[in-house]
């Protein structure tokens, strides 16, 4: 890598160190030009209160990018003949208690394409199936994967399955639950064995593993003290296939090999397109 200061380095340095409207406490920036990494550096702090410097070794919640890995594993299971994404969800789990009969029309394809009509997250529902404004508010009944089936008894779909797109963590969580049922293996283990290990993503693990060196995540608020508020985005248990991975930017960039079609052992050409 060239030691000469690149335009990207100049821009990133300004954003994190000098910009008057900077609202990002810290981050890792890694840029790959298709052949090699051309920029890799940490900026800012990992903890606003202690001012601990951000490093390339700090880990972040991978968030919804976890869904990509879960869907790769669904593609693999379909190619192996273990499932078909066009058959009804009821072929895999019990939906007989659903209060909305349209739940029976949901397919795995609807779940992965976010067209199921399911809510964003369980926190969008109160105990009587009424939608609430905050999608990440805790839902006391959703503690384990098996509780996903019970959730069907209190949800009313926001649209007919396949009718329109509506982002749903619940949908991908259900897809991951089905994947575990048909393979007999937890989704996190499938992802570790089939994706993380082959790509040497050695700094990646799932949230329930409580990794060390975890950077805090924040959202900007009007605060006289710090100006930031810690934003807890823990996605364990049933929602783990949706948003549970913890990783680094340097690990994340390795996934580009898959989407450039360089790793057919992980994602086939058919799955890629």
């Amino acid at each position: 890598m060239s030691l000469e200061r690149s335009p990207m380095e100049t821009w990133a340095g300004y954003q994190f160190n000098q910009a008057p409207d900077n609202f990002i406490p810290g981050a890792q920036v890694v840029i790959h030009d298709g052949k090699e990494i051309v920029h890799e550096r940490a900026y800012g702090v990992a903890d606003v209160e202690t001012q601990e410097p951000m490093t390339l070794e700090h880990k972040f919640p991978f968030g919804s990018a976890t869904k990509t890995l879960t869907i790769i594993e669904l593609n693999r299971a379909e190619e192996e003949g273990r499932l078909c994404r066009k058959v009804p969800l009821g072929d895999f789990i019990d939906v007989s208690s659903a209060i909305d009969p349209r739940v029976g029309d949901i397919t795995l394809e609807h779940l992965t394409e976010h067209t199921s009509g399911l809510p964003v997250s369980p926190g969008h529902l109160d105990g009587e199936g009424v939608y609430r404004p905050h999608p990440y508010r805790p839902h006391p009944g959703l503690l384990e994967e098996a509780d996903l089936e019970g959730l069907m008894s209190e949800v009313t779909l926001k649209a007919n399955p396949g009718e329109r797109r509506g982002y749903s963590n619940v949908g991908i969580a259900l897809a991951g639950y089905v994947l575990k049922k048909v393979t007999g293996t937890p989704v996190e283990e499938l992802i570790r064995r089939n994706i993380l290990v082959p790509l040497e993503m050695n700094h990646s693990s799932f949230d329930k593993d409580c990794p060390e060196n975890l950077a805090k995540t924040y959202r900007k608020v009007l605060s006289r003290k710090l100006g930031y508020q810690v934003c807890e985005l823990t996605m364990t248990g049933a929602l783990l296939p949706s948003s549970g991975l913890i990783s680094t930017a340097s690990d994340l960039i390795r996934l580009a090999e898959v989407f450039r079609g360089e790793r057919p052992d992980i994602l086939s050409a058919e799955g890629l397109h």
Side-chain angles (χ1 to χ4, degrees):
M1 185 184 300
S2 172
L3 296 178
E4 185 176 326
R5 190 172 178 84
S6 68
M8 177 62 216
E9 187 173 2
T10 300
W11 174 85
Y14 174 76
Q15 293 299 319
F16 291 103
N17 300 320
Q18 298 173 332
D21 59 347
N22 171 40
F23 62 94
I24 304 174
Q28 299 163 346
V29 179
V30 181
I31 299 176
H32 197 288
D33 67 359
K35 295 181 181 179
E36 62 181 355
I37 291 175
V38 295
H39 183 84
E40 185 175 28
R41 187 173 173 182
Y43 296 89
V45 297
D47 187 314
V48 169
E49 190 166 16
T50 67
Q51 290 294 291
E52 177 186 353
M54 181 70 71
T55 70
L56 290 172
E57 287 70 43
H58 275 99
K59 299 174 182 179
F60 291 86
F62 204 60
S64 288
T66 308
K67 295 175 174 64
T68 303
L69 307 187
T70 298
I71 293 172
I72 287 175
E73 287 306 309
L74 279 167
N75 284 341
R76 185 192 307 276
E78 187 167 36
E79 290 179 353
E80 293 174 350
R82 295 174 181 262
L83 57 81
C84 174
R85 285 187 288 180
K86 293 186 180 296
V87 303
L89 186 61
D91 282 17
F92 304 103
I93 66 172
D94 182 11
V95 296
S96 61
S97 64
I99 61 172
D100 189 331
R102 295 175 297 174
V103 167
D105 298 326
I106 296 174
T107 67
L108 284 176
E109 188 169 61
H110 292 143
L111 297 179
T112 58
E113 294 182 351
H114 297 280
T115 58
S116 66
L118 290 167
V120 175
S121 288
H124 253 146
L125 299 170
D126 66 12
E128 298 179 353
V130 178
Y131 287 93
R132 301 187 303 194
H134 196 294
Y136 298 105
R137 188 175 296 170
H139 185 279
L142 191 67
L143 303 176
E144 304 294 338
E145 292 170 319
D147 294 320
L148 285 167
E149 296 189 34
L151 184 65
M152 295 300 99
S153 67
E154 59 178 277
V155 66
T156 299
L157 300 186
K158 301 173 72 174
N160 294 325
E163 185 175 82
R164 67 172 186 261
R165 295 192 187 281
Y167 197 79
S168 178
N169 289 315
V170 174
I172 300 299
L174 275 166
Y177 179 50
V178 168
L179 186 58
K180 178 180 178 180
K181 288 177 73 79
V182 301
T183 64
T185 304
V187 174
E188 61 268 32
E189 174 57 22
L190 291 172
I191 291 174
R192 187 197 69 79
R193 184 175 67 202
N194 297 326
I195 302 175
L196 304 184
V197 171
L199 288 175
E200 298 183 2
M201 294 175 66
N202 300 323
H203 302 288
S204 300
S205 61
F206 279 85
D207 189 47
K208 68 178 186 178
D209 296 330
C210 300
E212 297 179 357
N213 218 26
L214 184 65
K216 289 186 177 179
T217 51
Y218 295 91
R219 62 189 177 102
K220 185 72 177 289
V221 294
L222 295 175
S223 168
R224 294 180 180 179
K225 183 179 180 181
L226 295 174
Y228 297 96
Q229 183 180 80
V230 175
C231 183
E232 299 291 347
L233 294 175
T234 303
M235 289 289 193
T236 58
L239 291 176
L240 187 144
S242 174
S243 308
L245 192 68
I246 300 294
S247 190
T248 66
S250 299
D251 266 17
L252 175 59
I253 204 71
R254 293 176 180 271
L255 272 177
E257 297 177 24
V258 176
F259 300 109
R260 290 198 301 266
E262 299 170 4
R263 297 301 301 263
D265 57 316
I266 295 175
L267 183 63
S268 68
E270 291 77 15
L272 187 61
H273 297 291

